[in-house]
Amino acid sequence: MEEQNTGSQQILEALSDLSEITHMVKRGSEEMLNGSREVIQESQNLGRITHEITNGMNEMAAGAEQIDIAVNRVNEISGDNKENIDTLVMEITRFKVD
């Protein structure tokens, strides 16, 4: 009887240890699950931020292209103005004022 009692006591202790280990594994699993959720959330945030940055860069590129077009047009107008001024100067020199 004593041996059975001792054996039963050892089994109860082993079951208690096993139960504690199971709870530890469960807590660890829950922490890993929460960590995974946080990683997923941050990945989604990073995806949104990357999308916003991409849109901003595209808008900047479009703006730079429009600036380039405007600068080229100003250069054309400046060239036309120079030609017109040169023509005007030539016409003015034809008149003599005494």
Side-chain angles (χ1 to χ4, degrees):
M1 287 287 268
E2 282 186 36
E3 286 181 24
Q4 279 186 333
N5 189 26
T6 302
S8 294
Q9 190 68 21
Q10 289 175 348
I11 289 172
L12 287 175
E13 287 177 10
L15 286 174
S16 176
D17 290 345
L18 184 60
S19 177
E20 185 178 332
I21 291 170
T22 302
H23 287 298
M24 289 173 53
V25 168
K26 182 181 177 187
R27 282 193 300 270
S29 296
E30 289 170 351
E31 289 177 14
M32 288 174 57
L33 178 61
N34 289 336
S36 296
R37 287 179 181 151
E38 289 177 15
V39 168
I40 290 169
Q41 180 65 38
E42 291 305 317
S43 295
Q44 290 171 345
N45 290 341
L46 182 59
R48 280 193 296 275
I49 290 169
T50 301
H51 182 70
E52 290 175 15
I53 289 172
T54 300
N55 288 342
M57 295 299 288
N58 289 338
E59 288 177 15
M60 288 173 56
E65 185 177 336
Q66 290 178 356
I67 289 170
D68 185 52
I69 290 169
V71 166
N72 287 332
R73 183 65 184 133
V74 167
N75 284 339
E76 289 173 10
I77 292 170
S78 295
D80 292 344
N81 282 345
K82 183 182 179 326
E83 289 176 14
N84 290 335
I85 290 171
D86 290 344
T87 302
L88 181 61
V89 168
M90 279 180 36
E91 292 298 322
I92 291 174
T93 58
R94 292 176 57 193
F95 296 99
K96 287 192 175 185
V97 179
D98 288 328

